[in-house]
Amino acid sequence: MAYKKQARSENEPNQMTTHRTVILMFLCGIVAFIVLIAQLSKIMIGQHDYYESAAVEDQVRSTTVNASRGTIYDTKMLILAQSATVETVYISPFEMVRYGEDKEAIAAALSRILDVDYDSIMEKWEDTESWYKTVRVKVEQDLADQVRAYVNGGFLEDPNYRYKDTESAKRGYLCSVHLIEDTKRYYPYSSLGSQLIGFVGSDNYGLDGIEAMYNSTLEGENGRIVRTAAANGTDMLFTGYEEYYDAKDGESIVLTLDATVQFYLRKNIEQAVAENEIRNGGMGIVMDVKTGAILGMVSVPDYDLNDFSLLNEYYKAKLDAEWDPVTMTEQDYNDRYLQLLQLQWRNRAITDTYEPGSTFKIITLAASLEDGAVTMDDHFNCGGAMQVLGRTDPLHCWRRSGHGDQTLAQSAQNSCNVAFATMGMRLGAKRFYDYMEAFGLFDRTGIDLYGESSSIWWTRQVFEDPRNHSQLASASFGQTFNITPIQLITAISATMNGGYLMKPYIVRQILDEDGTVVANVNPTVVRQVISEETSRHVREIIETVVSSPTGTGKNASVAGYRVGGKTGTSEKVGQASADYMVSFVGIAPMDDPQVAVLVILDSPDRTSGLSISGGSMVAPTVGNILADILPYLGVEESGGSGSFNVAVPNVRSDTVADAKAQLQSLGFGVQVLGDGDIVTDQAPVGNLKIVQGSTVILYAGVDKPTDMVTVPDMTGKSFRAAKQYFEAFGLFIKSAGVMPSDSKTIEVQRQSISPGETVNFGTVVEIGLIDTNPDLLETHG
Ligand SMILES: [Zn+2]
């Protein structure tokens, strides 16, 4: 501990005034050895006699000056965690007796100001040997100031205070009530990023998340004030000698995390968990593909950091449902409570391992292309199953009827197990294993977060044994091993960014107490795994998984952006009744990938009647996340599937003939109301984007209706039906993602304006479409 030591003369009380509480204690000549509150209580119990005798001897008074813990900021300098000064109010029964102070009046005043039970304070006065009894900890400044005012003379105006003519009272301050500064941690966004940020214990020591990982950076060093004084006197004010040891405030941390991205990530995952009847929540990561910086990391359900020891609603309900007062004891309840608390605190994106399933095919594709085991011109034939050495039963494709002849890109679009098993076997066990190693799948990524797990793989020896050939086949499409979500998204980012495996990180900057940058964290390249050219080929193929009308990733389309991605549906390993992990990884924009988004939903309810697949459950979620964050991150629209939304030109005051021609040339239908020559009004108004093929209404001398329109519920209806219905109501459609078509399997999944709301005639409603074609819903093979 390197305290900055500063000897102070008695004539320099200025430094002291910043520590008001300390002054008060000196004024009274109290004797206390105050360290951190938690440690103090231990001392009072464990070493009571020693300290008390030392105290009575009045040799040295020492007071801790708490260091202020550093702030945690998001990347835009929004405060995610901050310490504020609070105070602990305590009483000294020993001094109450010694100075003859009115314990009833003081107890009544403290009880009123601090909302503490009067009797409990009276009980504390009973222990007249004690110098230190806590009345309340973490008292906010305004209340502490009220206590201070009472102590500093306020008691003289208290009609209940009886001993106003004692020597002690004449000094004008109470000696038996003390305040000491402490800090309290606040989390302004309460549950946002809770598992990632973590929390601190009552002693301001970080216990989880960033708070724990960076505790030594954040905590700073406490200072002390040491003072010697005469043994007897009550008037020791500014006598003796003192030394002041400055507290060194903690440094602050700037994360790569963006609170807005985090908000969108969580919002969409929560929605997906609810809509798809997911039993065990979900998790997600948004990564900067080029640097490995984490922009968002979510586990749902999360919890309020300001009340981290309370179960969130989800786990509380679970506990209540399990609770059986007949068979369970109170101890059982408490044990289970703690167990669930630990579950709720878990940052699942780094602590959980799972079988990735088909999202992993991106890695197999990249390795096979890089190694020359396949070329961009290869074809694969899928008859629905294949024989694999070492397996008695054939290996089935998820689509039992087979995919027929496919190009390499089509194999990815179809997520064909047979094609990918073939790729893996061409690559061979040794090279396959080499690539897994190179993509970092055997190591923890080393992300600067607490609790990262390692993956579960075979040893090289077992994997390369020819008798285990079937493992190679299954591994090629992401089965029979477990990795963490952070490992997967880091490896997939490497396939997209030119081949560079980056070390993921969450802290980008350290600031000192004045806000000066003391350290910048730069992105770290672990190694280059594949070439720039291979990476380009992987990008080309992965984009078609989303952009192809028959791609299994189609539902992740985002209007206006080029998106790539891959679905995943896998069985939870080691479970008797098969539960599934459904997932999707999306990357955008594909002309120059910037972000990767991985979302995993844990255990869709198999009795829900919903088709369980990453393509139907998670691809739309990732599409919605990208639609939210790409414009926010300033990513320019670059074509993609968005050309079906077209801006309606402003044709008011044009001639009807010109307006009609212009609209028709843009692919709109036109309906003209009235028989004037000039367009007097239009619906929708100019510059709004709507789906191409919509019918624009022109008014030529007829007034546009001014009635309000009630928005109908079109969710679950086909696009075609929704468009006709909306237009009949005088409403227009813009599609947020999947390309609109008259195919019956294209359905409305959500609409931007809730059913039943009233809006102006001509309003544009944004709809999210999903393709429910079962041929696109990759199920577990
Ligand atoms: Zn197939």
Side-chain angles (χ1 to χ4, degrees), residues 382 397 399 402-403 406 416-418:
C382 168
C397 187
R399 191 179 184 195
H403 288 105
Q406 317 156 85
C416 177
N417 290 356
V418 167

Side-chain angles (χ1 to χ4, degrees), residues 606-764:
R606 296 170 73 228
T607 63
S608 68
L610 298 168
S611 58
I612 293 175
S613 79
S616 61
M617 291 180 158
V618 201
T621 305
V622 170
N624 291 334
I625 292 165
L626 288 169
D628 283 335
I629 69 174
L630 292 175
Y632 167 75
L633 293 172
V635 178
E636 303 256 333
E637 292 198 13
S638 54
S641 61
S643 49
F644 47 75
N645 292 321
V646 178
V648 176
N650 185 358
V651 292
R652 280 173 69 164
S653 308
D654 288 2
T655 65
V656 170
D658 283 354
K660 212 170 161 180
Q662 197 188 348
L663 288 165
Q664 281 168 345
S665 74
L666 291 167
F668 293 114
V670 180
Q671 182 186 12
V672 183
L673 298 177
D675 50 13
D677 293 331
I678 301 295
V679 177
T680 49
D681 211 341
Q682 68 181 82
V685 297
N687 298 323
L688 289 181
K689 275 189 175 181
I690 57 173
V691 165
Q692 203 167 33
S694 302
T695 301
V696 176
I697 309 170
L698 299 181
Y699 299 90
V702 176
D703 284 342
K704 184 158 87 171
T706 52
D707 304 350
M708 297 295 275
V709 177
T710 303
V711 176
D713 185 1
M714 285 289 114
T715 53
K717 302 285 193 301
S718 73
F719 167 73
R720 188 195 180 121
K723 181 162 160 285
Q724 286 174 352
Y725 214 79
F726 274 129
E727 284 187 354
F729 276 74
L731 300 172
F732 295 87
I733 286 180
K734 177 183 172 190
S735 173
V738 173
M739 166 128 45
S741 91
D742 285 350
S743 156
K744 280 186 197 150
T745 62
I746 303 277
E747 289 179 3
V748 177
Q749 195 202 25
R750 60 183 56 153
Q751 52 190 65
S752 64
I753 303 178
S754 304
E757 276 191 42
T758 53
V759 297
N760 288 318
F761 185 90
T763 294
V764 176

Side-chain angles (χ1 to χ4, degrees), residues 354 356 359 566-569 581-585 598-601 614 618:
Y354 78 120
T359 48
K566 191 68 201 74
T567 55
T569 309
M581 300 291 263
V582 288
S583 61
F584 192 85
V585 60
L598 173 64
V599 171
I600 303 162
L601 305 178
V618 201

Side-chain angles (χ1 to χ4, degrees), residues 35-48 51 203:
V35 285
L36 287 176
I37 304 307
Q39 288 166 348
L40 188 92
S41 56
K42 270 179 243 154
I43 288 168
M44 297 312 279
I45 296 161
Q47 294 172 287
H48 179 268
Y51 280 102
D203 55 357

Side-chain angles (χ1 to χ4, degrees), residues 196-463:
L196 183 109
I197 296 166
F199 46 83
V200 298
S202 57
D203 55 357
N204 287 319
Y205 192 86
L207 297 177
D208 202 6
I210 298 279
E211 295 275 31
M213 192 77 185
Y214 284 88
N215 186 65
S216 60
T217 305
L218 290 163
E219 74 174 343
E221 285 166 1
N222 289 330
R224 277 187 312 140
I225 292 168
V226 177
R227 182 182 167 89
T228 60
N232 56 352
T234 52
D235 291 310
M236 298 188 296
L237 184 57
F238 301 142
T239 62
Y241 112 103
E242 75 181 45
E243 277 185 290
Y244 185 85
Y245 300 80
D246 259 351
K248 187 175 181 303
D249 285 345
E251 291 170 328
S252 293
I253 279 175
V254 184
L255 303 182
T256 57
L257 191 87
D258 187 310
T260 304
V261 171
Q262 181 79 358
F263 170 81
Y264 285 131
L265 181 64
R266 178 175 67 171
K267 181 193 80 171
N268 285 293
I269 294 178
E270 281 180 341
Q271 206 162 345
V273 164
E275 283 173 1
N276 294 297
E277 303 190 30
I278 304 299
R279 291 191 293 110
N280 289 332
M283 63 209 94
I285 304 171
V286 179
M287 178 178 275
D288 181 322
V289 169
K290 292 176 181 171
T291 63
I294 302 296
L295 305 181
M297 184 178 275
V298 162
S299 300
V300 166
D302 49 21
Y303 63 95
D304 185 351
L305 285 168
N306 297 304
D307 279 311
F308 65 85
S309 57
L310 294 183
L311 285 183
N312 61 28
E313 275 176 34
Y314 173 84
Y315 284 118
K316 185 67 173 54
K318 198 178 173 81
L319 180 62
D320 289 345
E322 289 175 4
W323 171 240
D324 178 356
V326 179
T327 59
M328 290 168 82
T329 65
E330 198 175 326
Q331 186 63 42
D332 293 336
Y333 183 92
N334 292 340
D335 290 349
R336 183 62 178 149
Y337 193 100
L338 271 177
Q339 222 173 33
L340 292 174
L341 259 187
Q342 279 162 5
L343 278 180
Q344 114 179 347
W345 293 341
R346 218 169 46 175
N347 182 0
R348 299 183 62 187
I350 61 165
T351 62
D352 283 20
T353 62
Y354 78 120
E355 192 182 75
S358 295
T359 48
F360 187 80
K361 286 173 180 160
I362 300 177
I363 308 292
T364 304
L365 176 67
S368 304
L369 277 170
E370 175 72 12
D371 218 51
V374 297
T375 70
M376 293 294 277
D377 302 324
D378 274 335
H379 280 243
F380 297 85
N381 189 57
C382 168
M386 70 188 288
Q387 293 298 332
V388 175
L389 197 69
R391 268 181 86 123
T392 45
D393 57 325
L395 185 152
H396 286 281
C397 187
W398 67 268
R399 191 179 184 195
R400 294 294 171 114
S401 60
H403 288 105
D405 177 64
Q406 317 156 85
T407 62
L408 183 62
Q410 285 167 336
S411 304
Q413 290 158 28
N414 294 334
S415 194
C416 177
N417 290 356
V418 167
F420 277 85
T422 306
M423 280 180 229
M425 288 191 294
R426 280 197 205 160
L427 190 58
K430 181 183 180 302
R431 295 301 287 152
F432 188 94
Y433 208 84
D434 289 344
Y435 277 103
M436 298 312 102
E437 198 164 33
F439 274 113
L441 296 167
F442 302 148
D443 308 316
R444 291 186 178 92
T445 63
I447 187 172
D448 48 340
L449 276 172
Y450 211 56
E452 184 181 7
S453 298
S454 40
S455 55
I456 304 166
W457 279 86
W458 314 271
T459 62
R460 183 181 276 277
Q461 199 186 4
V462 170
F463 192 69

